[in-house]
Amino acid sequence: MSKIVVAIDGPAASGKSTAAKELAALLGYTYLDTGAMYRAITFLAQRSSFADDESKVIKLTQNLDLSLRFENGVTRVFANGEEVTDFIRTPEVSNKVSEISRIAEVRIELVRLQRNLAKKGSIVAEGRDITTVVFPNADVKIYMTASVETRVERRYKEFIEKGVDVTMDEVSKLVRKRDQIDSGREVSPLMKAEDAVELDTTCLTVEQELNKIVELIKSVEQNSRPK
Ligand code: CDP
């Protein structure tokens, strides 16, 4: 069987991560959470108090040995050997990550790393520019959406489950602000690739969502088989 690349883009809490993780487990593909990389850079820059200094953020990215390990449903993130997994999904990082992700030089480094990780085998990658920039020739391209109200509710629940002290109103502002920056930026903005299949998950269960994607993958696999 040849190597398959499944690329998923979409706004915050549209269901990308859940779908990508489950798919990877189901099909034995590697799961690539590209948002975790932008989050790791953001966390490290904030910890060193230079998140507003673009040139320092670029230097940090260019000199960083970043690696991901997907284990037991969690993407473990290591920066120069230090595990930063538990620090990258806080509201503080979430609040800043879209600004860091606007920096072209940061994107160049991370896209290079993402493409290298895909050389080994079949992969499910998710983010904001996967179908448009990172893997424009992916075998399956999905643009995942959900209503903003649903996405805010999902993200609020996630924070509460983790014991983070936030209000629904704060989460709503956070998600909307991030959507706006991610879709409005000059470099690699979030948008639907012309040939991506749009999947609105507002009224779908995870199982229904997965079934739809598996169908898409199956049809690609069938078409790529020698006749
Ligand atoms: O999980 P959620 O959808 O909230 O976010 P994420 O996938 O962890 O991504 C966090 C942020 O990183 C996004 O809001 C983007 O600003 C940025 N990002 C990006 O610019 N390009 C990617 N391929 C992935 C993430």
Side-chain angles (χ1 to χ4, degrees):
M1 188 61 240
S2 54
K3 231 174 60 174
I4 298 271
V5 176
V6 180
I8 310 177
D9 283 322
S14 52
K16 305 181 302 285
S17 310
T18 312
K21 274 182 208 169
E22 301 262 345
L23 270 178
L26 198 70
L27 305 169
Y29 292 6
T30 298
Y31 166 50
L32 179 57
D33 175 359
T34 61
M37 296 180 176
Y38 292 92
R39 286 175 177 275
I41 304 287
T42 306
F43 164 69
L44 294 170
Q46 283 181 322
R47 187 174 65 179
S48 299
S49 308
F50 58 61
D52 289 320
D53 185 332
E54 226 178 271
S55 62
K56 286 193 177 156
V57 175
I58 294 169
K59 221 168 160 187
L60 164 82
T61 312
Q62 290 170 339
N63 293 308
L64 194 65
D65 174 15
L66 196 60
S67 62
L68 303 183
R69 264 198 346 239
F70 184 59
E71 281 174 11
N72 303 322
V74 179
T75 298
R76 298 180 65 191
V77 185
F78 298 84
N80 291 335
E82 176 197 357
E83 178 156 19
V84 296
T85 314
D86 290 342
F87 313 124
I88 63 169
R89 299 197 191 275
T90 61
E92 291 72 31
V93 169
S94 298
N95 206 14
K96 190 72 185 169
V97 63
S98 290
E99 279 172 51
I100 299 288
S101 309
R102 273 174 160 165
I103 306 172
E105 291 86 342
V106 168
R107 305 201 68 83
I108 290 169
E109 289 303 317
L110 295 186
V111 169
R112 196 193 336 252
L113 182 58
Q114 291 154 18
R115 288 184 180 146
N116 273 335
L117 292 173
K119 283 186 181 150
K120 292 175 199 145
S122 294
I123 186 167
V124 185
E126 52 115 343
R128 301 295 188 285
D129 59 344
I130 310 303
T131 58
T132 53
V133 176
V134 185
F135 302 121
N137 299 320
D139 303 281
V140 177
K141 295 166 91 170
I142 296 163
Y143 186 74
M144 213 170 252
T145 59
S147 74
V148 69
E149 292 78 14
T150 303
R151 295 189 291 110
V152 168
E153 247 172 64
R154 288 177 184 165
R155 192 44 50 94
Y156 175 70
K157 257 194 182 162
E158 278 171 23
F159 278 133
I160 296 300
E161 275 164 17
K162 279 195 219 153
V164 178
D165 183 23
V166 278
T167 64
M168 184 79 97
D169 190 47
E170 282 163 348
V171 177
S172 171
K173 286 198 180 111
L174 183 67
V175 167
R176 286 167 204 266
K177 179 182 141 200
R178 203 134 64 80
D179 281 356
Q180 208 179 14
I181 303 179
D182 290 345
S183 303
R185 72 183 174 216
E186 258 174 58
V187 198
S188 313
L190 168 67
M191 58 184 204
K192 181 185 167 300
E194 235 173 61
D195 53 351
V197 174
E198 186 161 346
L199 192 58
D200 186 332
T201 68
T202 309
C203 301
L204 293 184
T205 63
V206 172
E207 202 187 344
Q208 289 169 327
E209 186 180 309
L210 277 175
N211 285 341
K212 287 194 185 263
I213 304 175
V214 169
E215 282 305 308
L216 285 171
I217 297 174
K218 272 191 192 153
S219 67
V220 166
E221 280 181 341
Q222 257 155 21
N223 292 335
S224 72
R225 261 186 218 140
K227 304 237 160 49

